[in-house]
Amino acid sequence: MQRVTVIERFSKTFRDNPSLSKLLIVFTVSGGGLVAYSEAGKLNDNSNAGELVGANNRKKKVVVLGTGWAGTSFLKNLKDPSYDVQVISPRNYFAFTPLLPSVTCGTVESRSVVEPIRNIIRKKYAEAYYWEAECIKIDPENKKVYCRSNLSINGNGKEEFAVDYDYLVIATGARVNTFNIPGVEENTFFLKEVEDAQKIRRTVIDCFEKASLPTLSDEERKRLLHFVIVGGGPTGVEFAAQLHDFVNEDIVRLYPKVKDLVKITLLEATDHILNMFDKRITAFAEEKFHRDGIDVKTGSMVVKVGEKEISTKDVKRGEITSMPYGMAVWSTGIGTRPVIMEFMKHIGQGNRRVLATDEWLRVEGQENVYALGDCATINQRKVMEDIAAIFQKADKDNSGTLTVKEFQEVLNDICERYPQVELYLKNKKMSNLVDLLKESKGNGVKESIEVDIEEFKSALSQVDTDMKNLPATAQVASQQGVYLAKCFNRMEECEKNPEGPLRFRGEGRHRFHPFRYRHLGQFAPLGGEQTAAQLPGDWVSIGHSSQWLWYSVYASKQVSWRTRALVVSDWVRRFIFGRDSSQI
């Protein structure tokens, strides 16, 4: 009895404090070891959080819309107890979306990739509450968001209510973009939510069960077992690879009579799949899929999706052809949610694709509204728009000319405020902007040599050509959430002592350092325990060793000990027993 009590007490301590230490996962890779870890948070105790704020100080109310990568990263890293946080989202969990393709085929169970949002917010210093509802309107003038509950109360329909805010964090993500192609909404499956992955899993098994019925013709069986994936990006490619492995490693043993009728087709409108990856990865993926029997059709644009046929147009020749299918998965891109579109029109951004923010993730034209993740993009200022202000700020003696020495004094602020400058210099293989000025004046420039405003403009005239929008990925959203939380944690301190770059169009410094995205690499699982990895420094790795790296990184990036343990145990279970083919 005493032993049971000790075990129970240990278990309760572990559940209540899941981040007591760093998670260390070691995977052995033929002759060596690979280590990935996840930083554990400090033990939180909000029992005396109210005392830290003070009885007479009203807490600032922060409303967070969404529980995806951006919203959850913000919540996990918000430490300041002076905030009253209210989370509003139609789903009460965070989903590890990079593993959704694994869920579709039973490699990983759906419960293993989700973490209840209440588990995440209950251990915060800041007071945090969650409401299961969907935001239907944002009113920035009155600082209110209008919401509709997902739950029907007493059969009276879904309740609507308004919530006030001091700060609004919009992290609603995006919806699937159908490009208004007829039949896509009605006849294809998306792969963006956990529910989508569950539907795909059930439908795959349904197709095999139907094809096994004795009353069907061979043509109908071929149609049912033709799986079409639209979109050659990372999600579409990974799902095609997962489905191929599922069929060849597990399904063939259970449905031996129909195994030879299975066909997988991947449709991509551009010339190659995985366009955002290195060309070596693209070539390897296309070659591997060809060997595996996956039919990759590049230059094929879908124009219509019927109930049993999908029509495509050859981009080069313009020919339209149709093919029968049993299941089609749509994975082509993202679009803006209706509530965000309405908000954009309201604030004068109706002609944009997504919300525009500044480099501090604040919605342009809105003082206390922030947007991050797939619903927004940073509208980076151009150097040439501020060139006169930059020159004036650097010209401290108001001489009308700028010495190299004067320019060097504001060099770091320029590079921080305008990241395209650093990218341009990297592409030109220059160490700093002084080299750029020297090039424009000639190699013999010394610190005493001066440049006027026109020469300054000439030197920087091409810098803005290298400006790029950030990709809509989980990695970007997660880093933005962490960054914004740190800004909120230091809000009061930085109000008094700004730590950002110089204000070229005003006095003093910006309150915070601007957001900077650090690309940590990307993976493309290709099936057969092979993965392509493109890591910083243009390092490309393809093969089985990269698969172990993928296992290690994805396990370490889980948001809790619970999900890490579940995901790893699912992988082990799959290695030993194979994938589950039940329809549950």
Side-chain angles (χ1 to χ4, degrees):
M1 182 64 69
Q2 186 177 4
R3 181 184 303 172
V4 174
T5 303
V6 171
I7 293 175
E8 288 177 348
R9 290 165 67 182
F10 176 78
S11 177
K12 184 178 186 302
T13 301
F14 191 84
R15 291 197 307 270
D16 290 345
N17 307 298
S19 298
L20 295 174
S21 62
K22 294 179 181 179
L23 170 67
L24 183 64
I25 299 176
V26 181
F27 286 102
T28 304
V29 182
S30 60
L34 182 65
V35 178
Y37 66 89
S38 175
E39 285 287 346
K42 292 182 180 179
L43 180 63
N44 288 327
D45 178 11
N46 60 4
S47 59
N48 62 348
E51 298 175 13
L52 297 177
V53 179
N56 297 323
N57 295 335
R58 185 182 74 86
K59 291 187 175 184
K60 293 286 188 179
K61 186 180 292 185
V62 180
V63 173
V64 181
L65 302 180
T67 53
W69 279 95
T72 301
S73 295
F74 174 79
L75 292 170
K76 281 176 63 68
N77 290 277
L78 187 63
K79 309 294 185 184
D80 192 335
S82 64
Y83 296 114
D84 177 7
V85 183
Q86 297 177 353
V87 186
I88 300 171
S89 175
R91 67 181 194 188
N92 68 348
Y93 58 85
F94 164 78
F96 192 86
T97 50
L99 284 177
L100 288 184
S102 297
V103 175
T104 61
C105 298
T107 305
V108 172
E109 294 299 323
S110 57
R111 286 284 180 185
S112 302
V113 300
V114 300
E115 180 70 14
I117 200 67
R118 294 183 185 276
N119 280 357
I120 295 172
I121 66 175
R122 71 189 177 97
K123 296 183 177 66
K124 304 303 298 175
Y125 278 121
E127 290 187 23
Y129 306 92
Y130 166 76
W131 293 325
E132 186 174 329
E134 182 177 5
C135 178
I136 56 177
K137 182 182 177 182
I138 300 172
D139 181 3
E141 286 81 14
N142 298 307
K143 291 189 175 182
K144 291 179 181 289
V145 291
Y146 294 88
C147 308
R148 181 185 297 122
S149 171
N150 270 18
L151 308 172
S152 178
I153 301 175
N154 298 325
N156 296 325
K158 297 179 178 179
E159 295 286 333
E160 294 188 4
F161 55 92
V163 180
D164 298 320
Y165 66 82
D166 293 305
Y167 297 103
L168 177 62
V169 178
I170 303 175
T172 55
R175 61 177 176 174
V176 175
N177 194 347
T178 64
F179 301 98
N180 296 318
I181 296 174
V184 172
E185 193 81 37
E186 299 84 1
N187 301 310
T188 66
F189 292 86
F190 303 142
L191 189 47
K192 193 162 180 61
E193 304 288 348
V194 173
E195 293 82 2
D196 297 332
Q198 291 172 326
K199 290 177 183 177
I200 291 173
R201 180 174 176 177
R202 287 192 295 267
T203 304
V204 168
I205 301 302
D206 279 345
C207 287
F208 279 95
E209 292 294 349
K210 291 177 182 177
S212 299
L213 294 174
T215 56
L216 268 65
S217 64
D218 286 342
E219 286 300 315
E220 185 64 10
R221 288 192 177 94
K222 287 182 179 179
R223 182 191 70 80
L224 283 169
L225 297 179
H226 184 197
F227 301 96
V228 177
I229 299 102
V230 184
T235 301
V237 167
E238 184 176 353
F239 172 67
Q242 286 279 348
L243 182 60
H244 175 267
D245 286 354
F246 184 37
V247 169
N248 287 275
E249 295 174 8
D250 302 278
I251 291 294
V252 291
R253 296 183 287 104
L254 304 174
Y255 303 89
K257 293 184 180 180
V258 298
K259 64 179 182 180
D260 295 330
L261 303 178
V262 178
K263 182 179 180 181
I264 301 173
T265 300
L266 180 62
L267 302 176
E268 169 57 38
T270 62
D271 293 335
H272 297 282
I273 62 175
L274 298 177
N275 283 309
M276 67 293 299
F277 282 80
D278 187 276
K279 292 181 179 180
R280 290 168 289 179
I281 292 177
T282 297
F284 180 86
E286 291 177 347
E287 182 183 348
K288 184 180 186 304
F289 277 13
H290 178 73
R291 293 197 309 268
D292 291 342
I294 299 175
D295 188 13
V296 178
K297 294 183 179 293
T298 55
S300 295
M301 181 184 298
V302 175
V303 295
K304 182 180 179 182
V305 182
E307 189 175 349
K308 296 183 178 181
E309 281 191 342
I310 185 168
S311 300
T312 61
K313 177 182 179 180
D314 189 288
V315 174
K316 294 181 179 179
R317 297 193 297 269
E319 298 177 358
I320 296 179
T321 58
S322 297
M323 66 179 80
Y325 73 92
M327 187 187 80
V329 173
W330 188 267
S331 178
T332 60
I334 57 175
T336 307
R337 295 189 184 276
V339 64
I340 302 301
M341 294 174 67
E342 287 298 319
F343 177 57
M344 289 166 62
K345 292 178 182 177
H346 186 77
I347 62 175
Q349 293 190 18
N351 60 338
R352 298 188 60 87
R353 186 177 59 85
V354 292
L355 269 171
T357 73
D358 60 21
E359 298 87 336
W360 295 269
L361 308 184
R362 185 174 51 201
V363 175
E364 290 188 344
Q366 302 299 310
E367 184 64 27
N368 295 323
V369 181
Y370 298 83
L372 51 161
D374 294 351
C375 69
T377 187
I378 296 175
N379 192 17
Q380 176 64 50
R381 287 194 65 85
K382 295 181 179 180
V383 173
M384 296 308 294
E385 291 178 356
D386 298 335
I387 193 72
I390 295 172
F391 187 89
Q392 185 177 2
K393 183 70 70 172
D395 184 19
K396 293 182 178 180
D397 59 3
N398 296 319
S399 62
T401 58
L402 192 65
T403 66
V404 172
K405 183 178 180 180
E406 286 177 321
F407 183 68
Q408 284 176 323
E409 292 178 358
V410 296
L411 184 60
N412 291 335
D413 293 299
I414 292 175
C415 290
E416 184 176 14
R417 185 68 177 83
Y418 306 94
Q420 65 266 36
V421 173
E422 190 173 353
L423 182 62
Y424 182 78
L425 293 175
K426 181 181 178 182
N427 292 338
K428 295 275 288 185
K429 297 181 179 179
M430 295 181 177
S431 59
N432 55 49
L433 270 174
V434 175
D435 292 339
L436 189 62
L437 287 177
K438 290 180 178 179
E439 183 185 60
S440 67
K441 288 283 289 184
N443 293 329
V445 174
K446 299 180 180 179
E447 288 191 354
S448 60
I449 300 298
E450 299 178 346
V451 276
D452 59 26
I453 183 66
E454 294 303 322
E455 292 170 327
F456 191 59
K457 287 180 180 178
S458 176
L460 299 177
S461 61
Q462 299 299 313
V463 168
D464 292 324
T465 58
D466 283 344
M467 289 176 61
K468 294 180 180 179
N469 289 330
L470 296 177
T473 63
Q475 190 175 160
V476 171
S478 178
Q479 289 186 27
Q480 288 179 336
V482 173
Y483 164 82
L484 189 60
K486 290 181 178 178
C487 290
F488 272 66
N489 292 336
R490 296 170 52 80
M491 189 81 73
E492 186 175 342
E493 179 183 346
C494 291
E495 284 279 5
K496 300 175 182 177
N497 301 300
E499 60 183 17
L502 278 173
R503 293 181 181 270
F504 290 112
R505 288 183 173 270
E507 297 300 321
R509 291 186 170 273
H510 288 280
R511 185 167 46 178
F512 304 111
H513 295 289
F515 171 74
R516 288 292 174 266
Y517 168 62
R518 291 181 58 228
H519 184 62
L520 302 177
Q522 53 190 345
F523 294 96
L526 303 174
E529 294 300 312
Q530 295 191 68
T531 290
Q534 184 172 331
L535 302 176
D538 295 326
W539 182 57
V540 171
S541 175
I542 305 173
H544 297 288
S545 60
S546 298
Q547 179 72 20
W548 288 108
L549 177 62
W550 181 84
Y551 283 135
S552 179
V553 170
Y554 274 32
S556 68
K557 291 297 181 181
Q558 297 298 315
V559 296
S560 71
W561 278 64
R562 185 187 70 86
T563 53
R564 289 184 189 112
L566 289 174
V567 166
V568 172
S569 64
D570 285 346
W571 287 333
V572 173
R573 182 257 309 157
R574 197 270 295 179
F575 274 112
I576 299 174
F577 302 107
R579 299 169 180 84
D580 181 18
S581 61
S582 64
Q583 293 172 309
I584 299 177

